[in-house]
Amino acid sequence: MKHLITLTEFIIDRQVEVKGATGELSRLLNDIGIAAKFVNREINKAGLADILGYEGTDNVQGEAQKKLDVYANNQFINALRAGGQCAAIASEENDEIIILDNPVSNKAKYVVAIDPLDGSSNIEANVSIGTVFSIYRRITDNGLANVSDLLQPGTKIVAAGYVIYGSSTMLVYSTGHGVNGFTLDPSVGLFILSHPDIRYPAAGNIYSVNESNYIHFPEGVKEYINYCHVDDPATKRPYITRYIGSMVADIHRNLLLGGIFLYPGTKKNPKGKLRLLYECKPIAFIAEQAGGKATDGKRRILDIHPDSVHQRSPFYAGPSYMVEKVETFLVNTSET
Ligand code: AHG
Ligand code: MN
Ligand code: MN
């Protein structure tokens, strides 16, 4: 029988690649993998148990929280608290960062930014949803962490990835040495290496954007979408439209099949919808590690210094040549 490599084995084997790693990062990644399995279990039975629908509360952005949003958030926070490798967490579902104050966490080297459940509007429809995570080395000394530990540019990411709860459940992550994907075998409860060294295909022909916002998009984005529609077999156009509405699922498909994901600003929301810290930056890290690019239309996402935990950013991610193409339509405009 072929030797199967589990996520836990892989994390330990690759630990030497991370400068200064002493095993704590491995344990932290492993804890995220375990929490993801609990979230996966709950998602799988969502249609059976009384866990669908709204929790009756709003998150900081005024969005109604679904029960699974709350479940996933608690699951990841509890895993990170119990694991002791994390000093603070920034989550989409919490207004303020969560500072883990106990003797073990106070000495922890890492902090985590997380979108516990991405694409939650798709839960009821049995459509793929996800989790997005990123890990930074804290900049404060031992003791209580603070928000400065989380407001670091993406160039400081130590590890990042996502979980996609789809027709199969996968965990995809990178520590800055390529991207690897693991598929959950539900019969044994193990993530198994199934997609080693994921790279964007050389040529793509998918574009993913919520085109119902077309009329409100910056002129450059409208022109790019028109470009996608042009009949030109040499450049594989017209491109194919694919849009799920769960960023993780749209990004994952485009990573495997070759495509660009766009969430531009609009007149009403110039910074778009997606959150820089726990949605754009981790996905940008993965996109770059897979040989692609991620920008806000002008600037590299990983270079942006965040000012606040929940700030938003226009977002373009995909194979480098596709992202560079959309940028050519945005050079003469301040809107992205
Ligand atoms: P979340 O469920 O974490 O709030 O994220 C939803 C996001 C993202 O997953 C997706 O790309 C985007 O919302 C879809 O937005 P539109 O419905 O505006 O297209
Ligand atoms: Mn999200
Ligand atoms: Mn979310």
Side-chain angles (χ1 to χ4, degrees), residues 59 63 69 92-93 115-120 130 275 278-279:
N59 67 13
E63 301 160 340
D69 280 321
E92 178 187 353
E93 302 304 333
D115 176 356
L117 206 75
D118 174 66
S120 48
R275 277 60 55 109
Y278 43 80
E279 292 182 315

Side-chain angles (χ1 to χ4, degrees), residues 118 200 206-210 217 221 224 228 239-240 242-255 258-264 273-275 279-280 283-284 287 293-297 301 313-319 322-323 326:
D118 174 66
Y200 273 110
I206 296 172
Y207 75 108
S208 307
V209 63
N210 187 339
F217 282 151
V221 175
Y224 178 72
C228 295
Y239 289 160
I240 299 167
R242 291 285 183 271
Y243 191 71
I244 294 169
S246 297
M247 179 190 64
V248 166
D250 282 308
I251 289 286
H252 181 70
R253 181 206 49 245
N254 290 0
L255 185 55
I260 183 168
F261 174 86
L262 310 91
Y263 208 107
K273 175 180 185 186
L274 299 177
R275 277 60 55 109
E279 292 182 315
C280 305
I283 296 299
K293 260 186 119 170
T295 76
D296 69 352
I301 289 287
S313 173
F315 192 48
Y316 301 85
M322 294 182 100
V323 175
V326 70

Side-chain angles (χ1 to χ4, degrees), residues 25-72:
L25 178 66
S26 298
R27 285 200 286 277
L28 180 49
L29 283 166
N30 210 41
D31 288 342
I32 290 173
I34 293 168
K37 286 190 231 178
F38 282 99
V39 173
N40 178 65
R41 184 192 63 189
E42 225 52 31
I43 289 170
N44 281 172
K45 63 183 187 193
L48 299 170
D50 179 29
I51 53 173
L52 285 176
Y54 292 90
E55 183 70 6
T57 50
D58 285 355
N59 67 13
V60 57
Q61 283 119 135
E63 301 160 340
Q65 288 177 311
K66 299 276 176 79
K67 287 178 183 171
L68 273 174
D69 280 321
V70 175
Y71 178 87

